[in-house]
Amino acid sequence: VRAASESVRVVGLVGPAGAGKTTLLEALLFASGALARRGDVALGTSVGDSSPEARRRGQSTEINLAGFDFLGDRLVIIDCPGSADFSAAADPALAAVDLAVVVVDPQPEKALLAQPALQALERLGIPRAVFVNKIDQARGQLDALIGALQGVSATPMVARQLPLIEDGRVAGFVDLALERAFVYRAGEPSRQIDIPPETLADEDQARFHMLEQLSEFDDALLEQLLNDASPARDEVFADLVADVQQGKITPIFFGSAHEGFGVRRLLKALRHETPEWPGAARRLGLEGDCAYVLGVSHAAQMGKLAFARQFGAELREGVELTLPNRMRARASISAVEAGALRKASSCRPGDVIALAKTDAMTGQLLSADGRVREAPAQVRTSPLYALAIEARDRKDDVRLSAALAKLTEEDSSLTLRRDPATQETVLEGYGEAHLQITLDRLRRRYGLEVATRFPATGYRESIRKGVVQRGRHKKQTGGHGQFGDVLVEIKPGARGSGFTFSQRISGGAVPKQWIPAVEQGLKDALEHGPMGFAVVDVEAVLIDGSSHSVDSSEAAFRAAGRLAMSEGLRVCEPYLLEPIDRLVISAPSSSTPRITAAMAARRGQILGFEPKPLWPGWDEIRAYMPEGERRDFILELRGLTQGLGVFETAFDHMAELGGRLADEIVKRQKQVA
Ligand SMILES: Nc1nc2c(ncn2[C@@H]2O[C@H](COP(=O)(O)OP(=O)(O)OP(=O)(O)O)[C@@H](O)[C@H]2O)c(=O)[nH]1
Ligand SMILES: [Mg+2]
């Protein structure tokens, strides 16, 4: 039974793929006593990564949520996937944490893969700490690591521990705030020892450096340091807590999730230094009693579950919740434990719960006070990879739409759109693996087989020359005939003008009421030009024509217009146009030469590159790239940048495409048709 004064804290685990976040979640659960036995991601026995997709891939494919008690306080951990394919889906959940632990590798080059995560947290103002994991594999000093991390962080990186090196390995640490030394022991809590005499000088220096860093935000401490006075331990702790909670510093801890080293130390720090929920509420702009939806799941047998964090007052089972669309639902609450849900009668402020029978979406606010609340604004980066999908069996079309609706609800980084021009259903996400797990889920959960291909590129055609063309539609079938006759001037229009129509008919050569039909006919013919694509940037002027008092009709004039255009286009020297996207690529500067070379091979046109503002060591490359070349570019970009490269993109303009490439595209289009 919990006392009312106990607090709940929500901590996110973020950082590069494979750094050991899910292993750390397991270690935290085990160290707290919530698990009797420690599982292993590699053996498929961990609490996290329990979905079939995550198990099969041996990496997190969605967030893992687990709650537990530690020394009378409650902690909820949100373990986020590190891979760029899956991390965007975790952003809405991460926005609501009290603190994020960035898990990194001890090797500086690998640790720097955490730069995007660190900078995102700084930008969002989320309090953070670094956990240098896999310390069991570290060799030698860690100064280079701390230096590298400091190089990419705007706030001071404060080493809280001094590693104790024995035979080139990290055997333990000195806690610089406590001034106590500990040695790691496999499978057991660390043992306290006297600070080894040969370490005293280093310890003194490291501690002084830490105090110097803290004195930047504390004038009294600065004065003490200048006067060579030794500050009280309580004051140092108070500074550490305040500075971490305000996001002014990023403390660094060391350990090994796999060996259980330094995990208890981290737990204690999280318990003391993680701010309570009002900080996150302020950041999200929340007031009053409401629950923020971290994520939605259709995975379990329980139907739809909304995982939410309660802000404001305690939430009781059965209380009426107001959704953003003014619908109401009674709260049906389950507490989130280690790998399981447990029916609960209430939820304390700050805690995370699963809500059944509530049709909520990720990022939404559910109000307990009856107010309708708008979801807090969230930035989304543009999708980077897309596939057109269709059911292998047409009979499954309806089931496929329903399943995709559920999957896009569950994964907020996935978007689904229907392309009206090509009639394609296009699934957009953050990479090949991202869309692949979506297809895996379609197959496994819903028994749906789909076919995929790259979405059709929006080629168009236009004309180089003009012509005056006659279109004459005449049919004599039995009684009533059909007659329409037009003379049309066809000529190239301005780029981007699409289709423009005008008329210079005098004396009613084409009766007024049929002129719109002529225009429609001309347009009809533009849908499929001589090369098989839609024709754009064409101007047409209806000059003359003739009609028949009985046989002329709307349909006949439309047919005449169609005829004039489709015959005329052929002699106007049609040429192919391809869509060109504008890209802004962000990546580490060291990879810029390789990226520009790769872009050249994709007929990209570099507009320029410069250092990315506020991103030390990164470049921003601006370029044009044909849409057809861009569709799998993210895969190559990641290959060149250790997975770090990203881009923002949007359609920019249409450009002429000639030569062999154009011939091939036209040939392929004719085969399809
Ligand atoms: N030697 C050593 N290996 C570790 C340690 N922690 C994790 N590993 C191993 O590193 C690999 C990746 O661990 P995960 O916990 O899945 O890493 P993650 O950060 O959750 O990875 P993603 O979810 O894909 O981002 C596994 O094989 C772990 O056994 C550690 O402290 N020491
Ligand atoms: Mg993981």
Side-chain angles (χ1 to χ4, degrees):
V1 184
R2 293 185 188 111
S5 63
E6 288 172 344
S7 60
V8 184
R9 291 181 174 85
V10 178
V11 171
L13 302 182
V14 297
K21 298 173 292 295
T22 306
T23 306
L24 181 59
L25 168 63
E26 192 77 10
L28 291 168
L29 290 170
F30 181 68
S32 73
L35 289 183
R37 186 173 296 137
R38 197 162 55 91
D40 192 321
V41 282
L43 302 175
T45 52
S46 53
V47 166
D49 292 359
S50 63
S51 75
E53 290 76 26
R55 284 274 192 258
R56 194 168 318 131
R57 294 185 163 264
Q59 65 176 164
S60 303
T61 50
E62 56 272 306
I63 59 169
N64 294 304
L65 264 183
F68 57 93
D69 290 335
F70 177 62
L71 301 179
D73 284 322
R74 184 166 161 78
L75 273 172
V76 177
I77 307 287
I78 302 178
D79 165 29
C80 303
S83 150
D85 273 86
F86 309 120
S87 58
D91 287 348
L94 196 58
V97 301
D98 298 317
L99 179 135
V101 176
V102 184
V103 180
V104 303
D105 194 278
Q107 231 179 293
E109 314 81 72
K110 284 197 188 169
L112 283 182
L113 300 178
Q115 183 175 0
L118 273 168
Q119 292 192 237
L121 295 170
E122 275 181 359
R123 202 169 50 244
L124 293 167
I126 298 177
R128 66 220 156 261
V130 166
F131 184 73
V132 179
N133 189 35
K134 304 194 184 181
I135 206 73
D136 54 309
Q137 293 182 334
R139 298 287 174 269
Q141 296 295 330
L142 294 160
D143 299 351
L145 167 72
I146 297 170
L149 289 171
Q150 185 61 72
V152 299
S153 171
T155 51
M157 287 272 166
V158 179
R160 291 283 302 272
Q161 301 170 326
L162 176 72
L164 289 174
I165 315 281
E166 222 172 72
D167 299 334
R169 291 175 181 253
V170 181
F173 61 92
V174 182
D175 187 306
L176 295 174
L178 282 173
E179 298 198 87
R180 283 186 202 149
F182 298 87
V183 284
Y184 298 133
R185 291 186 301 176
E188 282 177 75
S190 302
R191 182 165 52 92
Q192 197 191 329
I193 57 164
D194 291 333
I195 298 180
E198 68 275 16
T199 313
L200 279 171
D202 283 350
E203 191 271 340
D204 205 48
Q205 201 190 345
R207 179 175 156 87
F208 187 75
H209 180 58
M210 179 183 83
L211 296 176
E212 261 182 340
Q213 289 179 306
L214 297 182
S215 71
E216 231 183 272
F217 310 105
D218 181 347
D219 291 342
L221 179 62
L222 182 62
E223 200 156 319
Q224 282 177 305
L225 291 187
L226 291 174
N227 295 331
D228 265 344
S230 181
R233 189 179 289 168
D234 286 355
E235 286 169 24
V236 174
F237 265 113
D239 270 356
L240 278 169
V241 170
D243 294 349
V244 170
Q245 296 200 343
Q246 291 163 33
K248 288 181 184 160
I249 62 168
T250 306
I252 307 182
F253 298 91
F254 300 94
S256 163
H258 196 260
E259 304 299 324
F261 297 164
V263 174
R264 219 180 148 75
R265 181 72 214 100
L266 179 66
L267 261 183
K268 286 189 178 164
L270 292 178
R271 179 167 170 264
H272 280 126
E273 294 167 32
T274 306
E276 298 201 50
W277 63 265
R282 220 172 303 124
R283 215 175 49 232
L284 290 167
L286 309 183
E287 272 174 72
D289 307 336
C290 58
Y292 171 86
V293 182
L294 305 166
V296 161
S297 160
H298 287 276
Q301 276 80 46
M302 322 185 52
K304 181 171 174 176
L305 285 178
F307 292 90
R309 182 167 200 211
Q310 173 62 14
F311 291 98
E314 179 179 88
L315 184 67
R316 299 202 144 271
E317 169 79 13
V319 159
E320 198 170 64
L321 294 173
T322 305
L323 277 66
N325 61 3
R326 297 180 183 274
M327 296 280 282
R328 286 157 196 270
R330 295 225 169 263
S332 166
I333 300 177
S334 294
V336 175
E337 305 291 353
L341 298 179
R342 181 179 47 77
K343 202 75 199 102
S345 56
S346 67
C347 161
R348 281 175 298 154
D351 208 347
V352 172
I353 42 168
L355 289 164
K357 303 186 205 113
T358 307
D359 193 18
M361 307 272 269
T362 304
Q364 283 185 341
L365 293 172
L366 314 177
S367 303
D369 57 10
R371 261 172 63 187
V372 175
R373 287 180 167 84
E374 292 286 326
Q378 259 164 40
V379 268
R380 250 199 84 181
T381 52
S382 60
L384 301 173
Y385 190 78
L387 287 175
I389 79 171
E390 63 185 12
R392 281 205 192 276
D393 188 340
R394 295 305 299 262
K395 283 205 312 287
D396 287 335
D397 277 356
V398 175
R399 279 203 318 124
L400 178 62
S401 315
L404 283 172
K406 283 183 179 169
L407 291 180
T408 49
E409 245 186 31
E410 190 173 302
D411 179 349
S412 58
S413 72
L414 206 57
T415 41
L416 193 64
R417 65 180 169 82
R418 181 94 187 152
D419 188 324
T422 59
Q423 298 287 310
E424 287 175 328
T425 300
V426 179
L427 200 56
E428 295 178 316
Y430 289 92
E432 206 174 25
H434 186 203
L435 297 193
Q436 195 54 52
I437 63 152
T438 307
L439 304 183
D440 289 349
R441 285 179 183 145
L442 280 175
R443 193 173 308 119
R444 185 179 52 79
R445 280 194 217 163
Y446 304 101
L448 284 164
E449 294 289 340
V450 296
T452 61
R453 57 171 187 275
F454 284 123
T457 303
Y459 295 109
R460 298 284 181 271
E461 47 189 285
S462 193
I463 49 171
R464 219 179 294 283
K465 265 184 32 182
V467 72
V468 174
Q469 177 71 42
R470 166 140 261 136
R472 195 176 160 86
H473 179 72
K474 186 173 180 188
K475 254 186 191 160
Q476 206 61 58
T477 44
H480 222 322
Q482 292 180 38
F483 184 84
D485 173 41
V486 295
L487 189 68
V488 185
E489 184 185 1
I490 300 168
K491 50 188 177 185
R495 176 72 66 241
S497 62
F499 172 61
T500 42
F501 173 78
S502 58
Q503 54 102 357
R504 288 206 307 262
I505 296 294
S506 55
V510 175
K512 231 195 190 125
Q513 73 266 35
W514 308 136
I515 291 178
V518 176
E519 182 180 356
Q520 189 56 52
L522 295 168
K523 265 195 203 159
D524 291 346
L526 292 175
E527 280 172 23
H528 289 280
M531 297 171 145
F533 298 99
V535 188
V536 294
D537 305 340
V538 172
E539 201 182 322
V541 188
L542 176 59
I543 310 171
D544 200 1
S546 60
S547 67
H548 187 279
S549 58
V550 180
D551 290 348
S552 281
S553 67
E554 190 175 319
F557 270 104
R558 185 166 171 175
R562 197 154 45 217
L563 216 61
M565 184 59 89
S566 59
E567 305 234 310
L569 284 174
R570 254 178 262 160
V571 294
C572 289
E573 292 184 13
Y575 62 89
L576 198 63
L577 281 172
E578 68 172 342
I580 307 290
D581 291 344
R582 192 186 173 86
L583 265 72
V584 181
I585 302 168
S586 300
S589 316
S590 56
S591 49
T592 301
R594 270 169 292 151
I595 296 173
T596 50
M599 303 211 34
R602 289 173 182 265
R603 299 189 289 123
Q605 184 193 341
I606 310 280
L607 303 173
F609 59 87
E610 50 256 354
K612 186 172 167 71
L614 304 176
W615 279 70
W618 280 50
D619 277 349
E620 214 164 58
I621 307 170
R622 287 170 295 108
Y624 289 139
M625 189 184 278
E627 182 190 300
E629 304 278 351
R630 204 262 296 153
R631 53 198 187 179
D632 61 349
F633 177 56
I634 186 61
L635 309 183
E636 186 177 7
L637 180 63
R638 286 194 182 137
L640 295 173
T641 58
Q642 292 184 281
L644 291 178
V646 291
F647 56 77
E648 290 283 328
T649 182
F651 168 76
D652 195 84
H653 63 276
M654 300 298 286
E656 185 176 340
L657 177 64
R660 234 191 32 224
L661 209 54
D663 294 344
E664 274 167 32
I665 292 164
V666 172
K667 206 170 113 196
R668 225 181 307 133
Q669 179 72 359
K670 294 220 158 117
Q671 280 165 359
V672 174

